[in-house]
Amino acid sequence: QEDLEALIAEFQSLDAKKTQVIESSCPPPSPRLNGSLSAHPEKDELILFGGEYFNGQKTYLYNELYVYNIRKNSWSKVEIPNPPPRRCAHQAAVVPTAGGQLWVFGGEFASPNGEQFYHYKDLWVLHLATKTWEQIKASGGPSGRSGHRMVACKRQLIVFGGFHESARDYIYYNDVYAFHLDSFTWSKLVPSGIGPAPRSGCQMATSPEGSIIIYGGYSKQRVKKDVDKGTLHTDMFLLKTEGAGKEEDKWAWSRLNPSGVKPTPRSGFSVAIGPNNRSLLFGGVHDEEEEESIEGDFFNDIYFYDMGKNRWFPGQLKGPKSEKRKRRRGRQVEAEGAGDEEMEKQPPQGPLEIVKEVVAEDGTVMTIKQVISGPAEEKERSESEEEEEEEEGDGALGQQVEPCPRSNAMLAVKHGILYVYGGMFEVGDRQFTLSDLYSIDLHKMEEWKVLVEMDPKAQEWLEESESDEEEDDTEGAEGGEEEEESSEEESEDEGGEEQHPSVQPDEKHVDYLSRTEQYWIKLARSNMGVDAKEKKVVKVAHAMAKTFYEDSV
């Protein structure tokens, strides 16, 4: 603990040498997860702060401040004197006061070897108009923690849950604190009723009426010496007050039993508030805990929770209108999912989840999880009926660009558009940290747009003892695609292997593959890593596409 405090102090002394604000245009930020992405309340900008990165040997923590200009699709780095110390798994909330304020509470700092943690209990505010950081020193606040959640509610910041981990032990919280933005004071809330069990990483959202929603999260318990049991929470609670945001307000917990199609159990999901009184959940991971290892299924789906109707439903892509017309004219039969309007009239039906395992040549098992709507009945419809149905919100399955499955991404919503940045996924023992940026219009739900592509060169993974073969592969990957492909051709020719996957597709499969091949190659490459051989990536991609095509039809 003392070593970590000394390290933090050393970093702070370096930051203290900055005496003026320096704003400079820059390339997109490096890969990271567990940072915060916040929408500027007055400008078309997103604010990225903090986060972490692990390269297999060393953990890096950040306190950099980046600003993304939505209209220009450009990044700038803003260096401001005396910023908060480096951290990840903190929380940030924006309020519109005085040109906009970004409030940051808690989070953690980790030693470079990732074995020691320091949990912050400090509160900071970034004054967006003047570009100044200010630490707010007020007593009576939450203890040091990370993985907590914080939202702005009326004239308060409400903090719930989180965890604290030391070398010997850990503790999860379910306490609730309010920071009053008018008096700059903390108070611990003591709600009546039965509230959530201790947890971290839950969904926390504020309704327009000033109530607070809690969903899901993760916690673990020690069942015997050196053995922990993790719990994925799927319950939901409402924290309600009748007051107007005063310190003397009385709060009450109550259990929620929402209708609709609920998210599948997961941790590491990301959350945001969307339009139309809906909160949303994106991605995450479901870990299968075996005796000696943990295998995770990662997600890239969206679930909406309608706070007014107390109902969950999956966000399904409808596809661009031009694509719909082509499908209609060609009478192509594709799976269609129920949209908002249909779900109101019919009992909710869960989406069809296809899980397939594809084994690469080296034995790597790729678990591919796709969520599609249930098969629609084939019936003749007039063009006008189909147009009307599309306007009502029916989703149509089409292979499009989308973020690869991930957990611990950073989300923000501005003008009804969701932005997803970074995060991570794992393949075997290797962690891939992302630096891509995607957006989707939540009003239309037509298609994802790639704003910043993932840079394969930014993927670094250092094993403690790498074999010569692995080092050769890495050099090949760094040497560029052409060199990599030529060396692969030689090695595969020597081995007498086929140069193309032996798939016996029908004509429709060929058409499907030709339209979606790049999508599947990108998905396979993102899961297999940049040092995977190109032909192996293509082979796995084709197998994935064939599997998905056959199950879809």
Side-chain angles (χ1 to χ4, degrees):
Q1 191 80 356
E2 289 173 359
D3 291 344
L4 287 186
E5 288 178 1
L7 192 55
I8 292 167
E10 184 181 328
F11 282 133
Q12 280 193 285
S13 66
L14 293 172
D15 287 331
K17 293 178 182 177
K18 300 171 185 174
T19 57
Q20 58 183 358
V21 177
I22 301 174
E23 188 168 356
S24 54
S25 58
C26 65
S30 59
R32 63 194 64 199
L33 66 149
N34 285 329
S36 57
L37 189 65
S38 310
H40 195 297
E42 294 185 357
K43 298 180 180 179
D44 289 340
E45 293 177 346
L46 306 179
I47 304 156
L48 175 67
F49 173 72
E52 64 177 310
Y53 172 70
F54 178 60
N55 68 359
Q57 290 184 357
K58 190 174 179 181
T59 300
Y60 297 85
L61 277 296
Y62 304 112
N63 65 345
E64 301 162 320
L65 188 73
Y66 289 96
V67 174
Y68 175 72
N69 186 306
I70 292 172
R71 294 189 180 186
K72 296 179 181 178
N73 187 24
S74 64
W75 289 92
S76 59
K77 187 175 181 180
V78 186
E79 297 180 59
I80 299 174
N82 299 306
R86 301 168 184 225
R87 68 190 63 205
C88 67
H90 57 279
Q91 281 287 279
V94 170
V95 296
T97 308
Q101 295 175 338
L102 178 75
W103 289 84
V104 173
F105 173 76
E108 70 184 50
F109 180 86
S111 60
N113 64 9
E115 293 180 1
Q116 292 176 285
F117 301 96
Y118 179 89
H119 295 268
Y120 296 104
K121 60 178 180 179
D122 51 354
L123 179 67
W124 294 76
V125 58
L126 173 63
H127 301 280
L128 297 174
T130 58
K131 292 186 173 66
T132 53
W133 280 110
E134 180 186 359
Q135 184 175 1
I136 306 299
K137 295 183 177 178
S139 61
S143 57
R145 62 189 65 196
S146 56
H148 53 289
R149 292 294 177 256
M150 180 174 76
V151 295
C153 179
K154 298 179 179 176
R155 289 291 297 158
Q156 300 171 108
L157 301 174
I158 308 294
V159 176
F160 168 78
F163 73 98
H164 183 284
E165 186 170 4
S166 65
R168 297 189 192 91
D169 206 1
Y170 55 82
I171 181 171
Y172 283 79
Y173 300 106
N174 63 347
D175 47 5
V176 190
Y177 285 82
F179 181 78
H180 306 277
L181 293 168
D182 293 323
S183 62
F184 276 29
T185 56
W186 283 106
S187 63
K188 184 174 182 178
L189 305 184
V190 188
S192 60
I194 300 173
R199 65 193 64 195
S200 72
C202 64
Q203 180 179 34
M204 187 178 186
T206 307
S207 72
E209 301 78 37
S211 297
I212 290 169
I213 308 292
I214 299 288
Y215 167 76
Y218 175 83
S219 64
K220 62 182 179 180
Q221 290 178 305
R222 187 145 292 162
V223 290
K224 55 185 178 181
K225 189 179 179 183
D226 299 327
V227 178
D228 297 323
K229 183 175 183 293
T231 300
L232 290 176
H233 299 278
T234 57
D235 47 4
M236 200 161 186
F237 294 84
L238 178 71
L239 181 60
K240 194 172 182 181
T241 180
E242 300 301 327
K246 304 294 184 184
E247 292 187 37
E248 63 274 11
D249 288 348
K250 292 183 179 179
W251 295 76
W253 283 114
S254 59
R255 188 80 177 252
L256 285 174
N257 294 299
S259 62
V261 182
K262 299 169 190 173
T264 55
R266 65 191 68 194
S267 64
F269 52 77
S270 306
V271 300
I273 297 291
N276 303 321
N277 197 16
R278 293 168 178 171
S279 64
L280 67 90
L281 171 158
F282 168 81
V285 60
H286 183 272
D287 288 326
E288 299 289 344
E289 297 188 18
E290 303 293 335
E291 285 186 12
E292 296 182 2
S293 65
I294 295 179
E295 283 294 322
D297 288 329
F298 288 79
F299 303 95
N300 61 351
D301 48 359
I302 296 176
Y303 280 86
F304 291 97
Y305 173 69
D306 189 312
M307 291 187 268
K309 297 175 182 175
N310 187 27
R311 184 172 68 87
W312 281 103
F313 61 95
Q316 296 179 339
L317 295 189
K318 302 172 185 176
K321 288 185 178 178
S322 59
E323 287 293 314
K324 291 179 191 173
R325 292 194 186 98
K326 284 178 190 173
R327 283 198 297 270
R328 197 162 56 235
R329 281 198 296 271
R331 305 304 303 163
Q332 295 180 7
V333 179
E334 296 189 2
E336 293 184 359
D340 276 2
E341 296 297 318
E342 245 183 47
M343 288 182 72
E344 292 293 337
K345 300 169 189 172
Q346 299 177 1
Q349 289 186 333
L352 175 64
E353 193 176 77
I354 298 174
V355 181
K356 289 291 177 184
E357 288 187 345
V358 180
V359 183
E361 291 166 6
D362 63 356
T364 302
V365 178
M366 306 274 295
T367 301
I368 307 304
K369 180 168 289 192
Q370 293 285 351
V371 181
I372 65 172
S373 56
E377 289 183 18
E378 285 189 44
K379 58 182 179 180
E380 291 298 316
R381 304 183 186 122
S382 69
E383 193 165 310
S384 61
E385 280 178 331
E386 287 178 341
E387 282 178 358
E388 184 180 336
E389 198 171 86
E390 284 163 5
E391 285 169 8
E392 287 178 354
D394 272 11
L397 175 68
Q399 285 308 318
Q400 301 172 17
V401 169
E402 60 182 355
C404 71
R406 65 191 68 196
S407 70
N408 305 89
M410 289 136 278
L411 304 191
V413 174
K414 183 71 177 179
H415 301 314
I417 296 176
L418 171 67
Y419 296 86
V420 176
Y421 170 76
M424 62 83 80
F425 64 88
E426 295 168 341
V427 177
D429 294 330
R430 178 170 176 171
Q431 175 177 310
F432 292 83
T433 307
L434 302 163
S435 58
D436 48 2
L437 179 65
Y438 284 79
S439 70
I440 186 169
D441 189 323
L442 297 174
H443 292 291
K444 298 176 181 177
M445 286 298 290
E446 289 181 355
E447 60 183 338
W448 285 97
K449 293 182 179 177
V450 190
L451 301 173
V452 176
E453 292 259 21
M454 185 173 70
D455 181 7
K457 293 177 183 174
Q459 292 296 327
E460 174 190 47
W461 189 254
L462 305 176
E463 299 288 356
E464 288 186 13
S465 57
E466 294 179 324
S467 67
D468 293 340
E469 182 181 338
E470 284 172 329
E471 286 171 7
D472 291 345
D473 280 354
T474 305
E475 286 169 14
E478 290 173 353
E481 289 184 10
E482 290 180 10
E483 291 176 27
E484 190 176 347
E485 285 175 13
S486 62
S487 64
E488 284 153 16
E489 285 170 11
E490 291 167 16
S491 63
E492 293 204 10
D493 287 344
E494 286 169 13
E497 292 183 12
E498 290 182 350
Q499 294 198 16
H500 299 284
S502 55
V503 179
Q504 302 298 325
D506 57 32
E507 288 183 14
K508 288 182 179 177
H509 179 206
V510 171
D511 176 59
Y512 171 77
L513 187 60
S514 67
R515 287 185 287 114
T516 63
E517 183 179 36
Q518 290 307 309
Y519 163 83
W520 289 107
I521 288 175
K522 181 180 284 188
L523 185 62
R525 186 179 287 115
S526 70
N527 278 279
M528 295 172 71
V530 295
D531 52 357
K533 293 183 177 181
E534 186 69 19
K535 292 206 170 185
K536 189 185 292 184
V537 171
V538 172
K539 190 171 286 189
V540 171
H542 283 205
M544 289 160 60
K546 183 174 186 289
T547 297
F548 186 69
Y549 171 81
E550 288 171 348
D551 282 276
S552 298
V553 300

